[in-house]
Amino acid sequence: MKSFLIFTKRNIKLFFHDKGMFLTSLITPMILLVLYATFLGNVYRDNFMNALPNEIDIPSKIFDSLVGGQLVSSILAVSCVTVAFCTNFLMVQDKSNKTIKDILISPKKPYLIAFSYYLGSFVATLLICFAALIISFAYLAIIGWYFTFIDALLLIVDIFLLVLFGTALSSIINLFLNTQGQMSAVGTIVSAGYGFICGAYMPLSSFDSNVKNVFLFLPGTYGTSLVRNHSLNGAVNELTKYNVPESAIITIKDSLDCNLYFFDYHVSIEIMYIVLILSIIVLLAIYVILTCLLKDKIFKSK
Amino acid sequence: MKDVIIIKNLEKSFGEVKAIQDISFNVKAGELFAFLGINGAGKSTTINIICGQLKKDNGHVEVNGMNIEENLDSIKKVLGVVFQSSLLDDGLNVYDNLESRAALYDITGRDFKNRLSELNDLLHIENLLKRKVGKLSGGERRRIDIARALLHKPKILILDEPTTGLDPKTRKLIWSVIDDLIKKQNMTVFLTTHYMEEASNANFVVIIDSGKIVASATPLELKEKYANDYISLYNISEEEVKKVNIPYQKTNNGYRISIENTEIATNLILKYPNLFKDYEISKGNMDDVFLNITGKNLSEM
């Protein structure tokens, strides 16, 4: 175990040694936050105001918090996966610069080496996403803080699980990559596409029902919904204090994907956690099995 | 002496290319074994098969009495490999590199520190430990590569062109370390090199060309069989050299004639005493052996 941790430490140190990679990973969520707040904030705000009855006077701070919660939840849900693709470069780099030969010349089992890459990438991704979470909390504290302690805690748990999920997904895909170019291409595709298919960039509720049903088969969708729920719960609950009808609150929650409907079945928060945890277990099992079965092909330096 | 590496009828192809064609050889414990060949001859393929990084098509490979197909993990514990180019992490310092590689052999904590101290005695690396590997000179890197290969006290050290590109002083240092390992620790060293004078120090030499073994013997036997002796004549005119009636070669400061053995040299000296006033007789070297066997000049590859 100690030797495994020392080798994992090597992987983490190499990631943080590459200042460019670290800063790029960290700065991406921040740039997204600024861009979202600048260009989409007003659109989101108008949507919320239109969804509520005109005769009810609601403080602007609550709208700010709803908009901020939506922005922050989108960024955090996407970052947990896209940052993982950034941090999980070492396995590919070790193959492209042939360092993997020096590692596999040892008697350590390839699946342990693979798991060490996973753990190293997980820790690096978690640190960056927690940094993004702290900045997000600071942003929400400035514009309107309605978090309960439990929601804040559950949001941390959501980030933790989504990072486990994102790292497992990127680890499986990176097993088949051999060059930095391939990795950059995959990173670009994931950065561009994942936000849409998990409902972060645009809520699933705004998609065609067929497309929405397809996306509901993807576990990342439930991770996004968990982050949305715990980012927006406080502000949404605050609305009830101003006598906003239950139907309007449900409409808001539906439109934000806080409520997900698998066909006609309303997916509870507990089920969302179960889906996410099971998907992490399945992805990790696939990763370990692939590593054992294909070790001669996937760990060959090019 | 016991054979620590046994290769029998080894074959390996990459598609249509037959990289290794039915080669067999043995390496004895505690010897310096030189494996020579030009780039693409099959040296690295053979080494990769011995290390378990490449699967063979046919044949038998045994290391330290263990079959490679059944005991690869155990074999990896007795093998130390210095690769042709350094494969350590440029971004980490020497200590972190060695610590992470030692961990691959479950050498951690106090055991690692003790081993590092032993390696420091052998390779004098203490002043390099805090420096990044990427910032080291070629010679310093090589010392660290050797330290990495020796971390787990292997019985067999595979050196894939360990001194290529190094200055003469560093080459001398590396060789003094290798000599120490062989003499004091009875380590078996499996060497590939482009420097023929290094191969001439080996106990046994195998020359491989296009995937086939073309010669194998001790350096002395190879030189006797494949390399002529030379007489170098100085302060003499070309007209005088022609009198010897043996093909000659003009050199920078005289002429060189090739002879089969020193007995012929003695006869020539007795026959033409006036020509042999300033001369030297030299034995053929491993460059000549390689050139005569393969028709290729290894130092130019």
Side-chain angles (χ1 to χ4, degrees):
Chain A
M1 187 63 186
K2 194 174 176 187
S3 57
F4 172 76
L5 292 177
I6 289 172
F7 195 72
T8 304
K9 186 175 84 178
R10 171 248 181 199
N11 298 344
I12 297 168
K13 273 191 172 181
L14 276 172
F15 174 75
F16 285 105
H17 159 77
D18 191 338
K19 303 280 187 302
M21 186 68 81
F22 170 62
L23 287 174
T24 308
S25 305
L26 186 63
I27 220 163
T28 306
M30 299 311 106
I31 290 173
L32 279 175
L33 182 62
V34 172
L35 291 176
Y36 265 51
T38 309
F39 298 109
L40 291 175
N42 287 337
V43 177
Y44 289 169
R45 191 184 178 86
D46 291 345
N47 287 344
F48 286 125
M49 292 177 90
N50 292 336
L52 294 170
N54 288 334
E55 61 275 13
I56 302 174
D57 187 28
I58 294 169
S60 158
K61 208 175 172 183
I62 297 178
F63 284 116
D64 290 342
S65 185
L66 284 170
V67 171
Q70 189 178 0
L71 298 180
V72 159
S73 59
S74 298
I75 291 156
L76 290 175
V78 171
S79 297
C80 292
V81 175
T82 54
V83 171
F85 275 85
C86 262
T87 63
N88 213 342
F89 73 104
L90 195 61
M91 185 194 332
V92 181
Q93 183 177 284
D94 281 350
K95 281 194 267 185
S96 71
N97 64 18
K98 298 185 184 250
T99 302
I100 195 74
K101 277 181 82 173
D102 191 46
I103 294 166
L104 293 180
I105 205 83
S106 76
K108 270 277 173 278
K109 296 285 181 198
Y111 73 85
L112 280 174
I113 304 290
F115 205 70
S116 163
Y117 285 127
Y118 174 82
L119 191 60
S121 176
F122 167 73
V123 171
T125 310
L126 195 65
L127 288 173
I128 290 167
C129 288
F130 275 166
L133 180 65
I134 289 166
I135 294 168
S136 300
F137 276 154
Y139 172 68
L140 289 172
I142 293 166
I143 62 166
W145 178 271
Y146 294 99
F147 271 90
T148 63
F149 174 73
I150 296 294
D151 280 337
L153 200 65
L154 287 173
L155 187 56
I156 292 171
V157 173
D158 298 341
I159 300 298
F160 185 86
L161 290 175
L162 263 175
V163 171
L164 279 173
F165 170 79
T167 313
L169 187 66
S170 64
S171 296
I172 290 172
I173 291 170
N174 284 2
L175 274 178
F176 300 95
L177 309 181
N178 295 307
T179 65
Q180 306 272 21
Q182 290 171 345
M183 206 185 70
S184 299
V186 169
T188 307
I189 292 166
V190 171
S191 297
Y194 180 76
F196 285 103
I197 61 172
C198 76
Y201 291 157
M202 285 173 70
L204 295 191
S205 58
S206 58
F207 290 148
D208 170 80
S209 63
N210 290 325
V211 176
K212 189 169 72 176
N213 287 337
V214 171
F215 288 168
L216 280 165
F217 280 94
L218 305 175
T221 307
Y222 300 94
T224 307
S225 182
L226 284 168
V227 176
R228 281 252 199 276
N229 269 293
H230 298 126
S231 299
L232 290 161
N233 243 355
V236 170
N237 288 340
E238 197 67 15
L239 291 175
T240 57
K241 293 180 184 170
Y242 294 88
N243 299 320
V244 174
E246 183 68 24
S247 60
I249 288 179
I250 289 172
T251 305
I252 288 175
K253 283 185 141 187
D254 286 353
S255 69
L256 290 172
D257 289 347
C258 290
N259 292 330
L260 285 183
Y261 301 92
F262 188 76
F263 295 89
D264 287 331
Y265 173 75
H266 176 241
V267 183
S268 67
I269 295 286
E270 291 76 16
I271 296 291
M272 288 183 197
Y273 273 122
I274 289 170
V275 170
L276 192 56
I277 290 168
L278 282 178
S279 66
I280 292 164
I281 293 168
V282 169
L283 287 175
L284 281 178
I286 291 171
Y287 180 54
V288 171
I289 290 167
L290 280 176
T291 308
C292 293
L293 291 179
L294 305 172
K295 62 179 187 288
D296 292 332
K297 285 181 183 168
I298 56 186
F299 277 140
K300 197 185 277 182
S301 58
K302 297 289 169 185
Chain B
M1 272 191 294
K2 180 186 150 196
D3 290 327
V4 287
I5 299 178
I6 299 170
I7 307 279
K8 277 185 196 160
N9 310 112
L10 183 65
E11 290 182 339
K12 176 72 186 174
S13 296
F14 299 102
E16 296 295 305
V17 180
K18 291 181 175 175
I20 302 288
Q21 300 179 52
D22 194 24
I23 67 169
S24 301
F25 62 85
N26 294 357
V27 180
K28 292 193 183 306
E31 78 173 5
L32 173 59
F33 178 91
F35 197 46
L36 306 181
I38 61 164
N39 292 335
K43 301 189 302 288
S44 294
T45 304
T46 308
I47 288 175
N48 283 336
I49 292 171
I50 293 171
C51 298
Q53 301 217 326
L54 208 53
K55 282 200 177 353
K56 60 187 169 59
D57 294 340
N58 286 306
H60 175 80
V61 177
E62 202 176 297
V63 178
N64 205 38
M66 296 174 281
N67 189 316
I68 196 143
E69 280 161 335
E70 293 156 12
N71 304 94
L72 185 56
D73 285 349
S74 301
I75 286 173
K76 284 179 173 181
K77 287 178 188 167
V78 299
L79 285 180
V81 183
V82 176
F83 293 97
Q84 205 167 329
S85 40
S86 179
L87 299 180
L88 293 172
D89 299 313
D90 283 353
L92 298 183
N93 67 30
V94 170
Y95 183 91
D96 287 341
N97 262 289
L98 294 178
E99 186 191 35
S100 65
R101 299 306 196 271
L104 296 171
Y105 298 88
D106 292 325
I107 303 167
T108 58
R110 176 63 49 198
D111 291 342
F112 169 65
K113 289 208 164 68
N114 290 341
R115 184 60 185 145
L116 193 59
S117 169
E118 289 169 6
L119 290 170
N120 182 46
D121 292 342
L122 184 71
L123 292 155
H124 313 293
I125 55 172
E126 188 154 24
N127 59 335
L128 304 178
L129 292 177
K130 294 291 168 203
R131 287 176 57 194
K132 286 203 172 151
V133 166
K135 304 276 182 194
L136 299 179
S137 69
E140 290 168 337
R141 257 182 114 108
R142 243 4 186 178
R143 273 151 66 198
I144 303 306
D145 288 335
I146 294 174
R148 182 264 172 266
L150 297 175
L151 276 168
H152 56 295
K153 298 186 181 175
K155 288 184 177 171
I156 303 162
L157 182 63
I158 295 177
L159 300 164
D160 195 0
E161 298 182 20
T163 54
T164 301
L166 298 183
D167 61 85
K169 190 182 164 195
T170 312
R171 279 172 62 191
K172 204 173 166 187
L173 173 76
I174 300 294
W175 270 103
S176 81
V177 171
I178 295 169
D179 282 343
D180 269 6
L181 291 170
I182 295 169
K183 286 172 190 158
K184 293 180 186 167
Q185 299 184 27
N186 197 35
M187 192 173 283
T188 307
V189 174
F190 185 112
L191 168 81
T192 76
T193 180
H194 274 184
Y195 298 111
M196 288 296 106
E197 70 270 24
E198 291 180 350
S200 63
N201 295 329
N203 299 98
F204 199 80
V205 176
V206 165
I207 298 176
I208 184 170
D209 190 31
S210 303
K212 294 176 189 166
I213 289 177
V214 287
S216 59
T218 65
L220 187 65
E221 287 166 346
L222 286 173
K223 280 190 238 179
E224 280 178 357
K225 193 169 176 186
Y226 296 105
N228 287 338
D229 293 346
Y230 296 101
I231 303 175
S232 296
L233 297 163
Y234 307 109
N235 298 319
I236 189 170
S237 69
E238 192 165 357
E239 291 306 310
E240 287 174 303
V241 178
K242 282 179 181 171
K243 287 179 189 169
V244 180
N245 210 19
I246 291 177
Y248 62 91
Q249 200 183 347
K250 200 169 183 179
T251 60
N252 283 343
N253 47 2
Y255 299 91
R256 192 169 81 153
I257 55 179
S258 176
I259 49 171
E260 268 183 39
N261 52 49
T262 43
E263 192 182 338
I264 293 173
T266 309
N267 291 337
L268 285 173
I269 293 165
L270 292 172
K271 193 172 175 185
Y272 306 101
N274 292 335
L275 302 182
F276 289 85
K277 285 174 182 165
D278 187 1
Y279 69 95
E280 66 181 344
I281 300 170
S282 49
K283 301 288 284 180
N285 58 30
M286 287 299 289
D287 278 312
D288 302 315
V289 171
F290 195 84
L291 184 64
N292 289 334
I293 291 173
T294 66
K296 295 157 189 166
N297 194 336
L298 193 56
S299 57
E300 289 170 7
M301 294 294 163

